[in-house]
Amino acid sequence: MTHSVSRSVGTLAFNGGTFRSDARAVPEETAVAISVGGSTHAVMMATPSHFRELAVGLALNERIVETAAEIERVEIASSDRGVDCRLWLCAARAGEYTVRRRQMAGPVGCGLCGVESLELAQRVLPTVAIRAPQLAPADIEAAIAAMSNAQGLSRLTRAVHAAAFHVTGQGLVVAREDVGRHNALDKVAGHLAEAGIDPATGFLTITSRVSVELIQKAAVMGCGFIAAVSAPTALAIREAEAAGITLVAVVRGADFEVFTHPARIAGAPPLPGP
């Protein structure tokens, strides 16, 4: 089944004190179920594209698997009601997942929903080492511009988020758009995993506000640098600090703010105190 990512709808535009007939492109979204070993793990609304990347990236970022190689196969089944992305794991991982499901109160979509206790929501994140080359301020500006240029669906609809991965000296590697900011980053993670690209060799850019879930996903990916167009939450800043992630946000052309670990940025002084 072929999926369209947008459609044109008729509207009534009110401007200059009068109504007129108009049309607008709007993004499509569809229900996507991620199932593991025949059991539903998550149901979310997503842009109907790159389903395999979404499923693989979510499995990695939620630590269902450690590597994409532990996923034996992925089946994509479409119907009028949505899309089912079926993951089948190697025997060892399948057994671990069965034990994990016993601790879950219900399916989760964002990484924090449906858990049985607050303790399960407090993820212990790996610390990301400073392995990637330092970035110059101009690299950050260029990366955000490159992501913007790759946002065809956003230019058409003005209603989707984007995430992208870049390598210094190489430029944009992959960009993905989705109605869900978590989905966009999971699609990037899935692409990198299946292409055999180590996220530690480059850095991420995102269009959305920086919520704690996005920091958690970056930490699990092993990527130590995020640059965002929008601002972060306080918890996201604390998690980025603890995980060793350089968080740059509120990027506006050549201007930006550094919230954590400025040592990865060439010429940046230490952060001021509170």
Side-chain angles (χ1 to χ4, degrees):
M1 180 181 294
T2 302
H3 298 270
S4 174
V5 296
S6 68
R7 63 176 296 189
S8 180
V9 297
T11 67
L12 277 177
F14 183 77
N15 52 50
T18 61
F19 287 99
R20 63 178 175 82
S21 297
D22 204 350
R24 172 175 288 276
V26 295
E28 288 283 6
E29 58 182 335
T30 191
V32 178
I34 309 293
S35 62
V36 180
S39 298
T40 299
H41 175 82
V43 179
M44 64 197 73
M45 301 306 295
T47 296
S49 68
H50 303 99
F51 296 115
R52 182 184 177 94
E53 291 179 355
L54 174 61
V56 172
L58 183 140
L60 288 163
N61 285 339
E62 294 199 358
R63 294 177 171 174
I64 296 172
V65 295
E66 290 294 327
T67 68
E70 293 173 334
I71 301 173
E72 290 191 340
R73 69 181 189 276
V74 180
E75 300 171 354
I76 309 297
S78 299
S79 70
D80 292 339
R81 300 179 64 182
V83 177
D84 187 10
C85 300
R86 303 165 184 165
L87 299 177
W88 302 93
L89 311 183
C90 66
R93 281 295 174 190
E96 290 179 7
Y97 182 74
T98 299
V99 173
R100 174 179 171 177
R101 278 192 61 85
R102 297 193 185 108
Q103 299 177 315
M104 298 170 62
V108 299
C110 67
L112 293 179
C113 309
V115 293
E116 189 173 22
S117 67
L118 292 176
E119 288 75 14
L120 287 175
Q122 298 298 315
R123 303 176 69 177
V124 178
L125 300 180
T127 300
V128 183
I130 301 179
R131 292 170 50 192
Q134 282 192 330
L135 274 70
D139 295 327
I140 298 170
E141 178 184 7
I144 293 292
M147 176 177 63
S148 178
N149 289 337
Q151 290 176 242
L153 186 58
S154 178
R155 283 192 297 275
L156 184 66
T157 66
R158 301 297 179 189
V160 295
H161 296 290
F165 180 79
H166 316 256
V167 173
T168 304
Q170 179 179 340
L172 177 69
V173 175
V174 60
R176 292 290 180 258
E177 297 179 277
D178 201 279
V179 291
R181 63 186 187 275
H182 308 96
N183 301 340
L185 186 53
D186 282 338
K187 287 178 177 180
V188 168
H191 176 89
L192 297 180
E194 297 216 296
I197 299 171
D198 183 358
T201 62
F203 61 102
L204 295 165
T205 56
I206 58 176
T207 58
S208 65
R209 69 179 173 87
V210 189
S211 59
V212 66
E213 301 98 325
L214 298 181
I215 295 295
Q216 291 172 340
K217 289 177 185 292
V220 172
M221 290 170 66
C223 187
F225 198 113
I226 296 180
V229 173
S230 298
T233 67
L235 181 55
I237 295 170
R238 292 195 294 271
E239 289 283 79
E241 176 64 36
I245 292 173
T246 299
L247 173 57
V248 171
V250 199
V251 182
R252 299 290 183 271
D255 301 330
F256 55 82
E257 296 180 38
V258 184
F259 291 85
T260 60
H261 299 287
R264 288 189 179 90
I265 304 173
L271 283 167

